[in-house]
Amino acid sequence: MRITIVSLLSFFLCYLIYLSIYLSATTGKCLEDQQSLLIQLKNNLTFEPENSSKLKLWNQSIECCNWRGVTCDDEGRVIGLDLSGELIGGGFDDSSVVFSLQHLQKLNLADNNFSSVVPSGFNKLENLTYLNLSCAGFVGQIPIEISQMTRLVTLDISSLSS
Ligand SMILES: *[C@@H]1O[C@H](CO)[C@@H](O)[C@H](O)[C@H]1NC(C)=O
Ligand SMILES: *[C@@H]1O[C@H](CO)[C@@H](O)[C@H](O)[C@H]1NC(C)=O
Ligand SMILES: *[C@@H]1O[C@H](CO)[C@@H](O)[C@H](O)[C@H]1NC(C)=O
Ligand SMILES: *[C@@H]1O[C@H](CO)[C@@H](O)[C@H](O)[C@H]1NC(C)=O
Ligand SMILES: *[C@@H]1O[C@H](CO)[C@@H](O)[C@H](O)[C@H]1NC(C)=O
Ligand SMILES: *[C@@H]1O[C@H](CO)[C@@H](O)[C@H](O)[C@H]1NC(C)=O
């Protein structure tokens, strides 16, 4: 009987250790600088909570890698940002902190209401492979800088200014 309990306990302990290793390996812990950039981004964007399903829920009570629309790598660096369909009305230009999220690989700004020119800073994101500006509400021309993005694989500019 005692042996069974001991082995049960050690099995349980092994399971706990395995679980904690598994969890720490798969969900990168959000880096502090990345979180503060995201908070700044949220504060600078113009959006209405009633029309938002992601941004409005970003808050520091939760690890920023678990915020809706945010994807991190194992080291807690933000590599994906999906702000599509938030009806964002403004606050996104060349000085946006988006361009300081330098590890970004995927950026989706589709289905918004920016009503401003397309920023030219996307080429600061050297590892960006996916950029979606479909129906983002931008006006004017596509900046030449976008053609200098050597890693870009997917660029969606359909109905840029819907
Ligand atoms: C973004 O927000 C920060 C404060 O969170 C402010 O200091 C900064 O000036 C804003 N930048 C822009 C471009 O609006
Ligand atoms: C929120 O979305 C509704 C429906 O699309 C729209 O009529 C309204 O103008 C939006 N509100 C703001 C403040 O953008
Ligand atoms: C913080 O985010 C969580 C889930 O994303 C949400 O349930 C909660 O209401 C948020 N808190 C505030 C104060 O917005
Ligand atoms: C860009 O990707 C390369 C190769 O994957 C990596 O070594 C480098 O650290 C990345 N740069 C940034 C700023 O994340
Ligand atoms: C861009 O985003 C829109 C809206 O989310 C989506 O329908 C479209 O398939 C995306 N384009 C690409 C190339 O992924
Ligand atoms: C989009 O922006 C324009 C001009 O800023 C505004 O008139 C319109 O109501 C906005 N649309 C939505 C759906 O928020």
Side-chain angles (χ1 to χ4, degrees), residues 26-120:
T26 50
T27 52
K29 193 156 163 39
C30 185
L31 295 177
E32 221 167 276
D33 76 299
Q34 302 283 284
Q35 167 155 318
S36 83
L37 288 173
L38 291 172
I39 291 286
Q40 266 188 61
L41 175 64
K42 173 180 177 174
N43 291 341
N44 287 350
L45 292 175
T46 315
F47 67 97
E48 294 301 320
E50 74 201 65
N51 287 339
S52 163
S53 61
K54 303 170 196 167
L55 280 171
K56 74 168 176 198
L57 294 175
W58 289 11
N59 65 61
Q60 314 211 22
S61 68
I62 289 178
E63 173 83 60
C64 83
C65 291
N66 292 326
W67 293 353
R68 271 193 212 170
V70 174
T71 312
C72 296
D73 65 7
D74 292 346
E75 283 152 68
R77 304 180 301 198
V78 175
I79 54 169
L81 200 53
D82 180 357
L83 294 176
S84 62
E86 293 282 281
L87 293 186
I88 299 163
F92 184 63
D93 57 21
D94 277 335
S95 64
S96 173
V97 290
V98 163
F99 303 118
S100 302
L101 290 167
Q102 50 177 323
H103 308 293
L104 271 186
Q105 295 168 14
K106 287 185 116 188
L107 179 58
N108 192 343
L109 300 171
D111 300 325
N112 280 297
N113 194 21
F114 287 110
S115 322
S116 56
V117 297
V118 186
S120 57

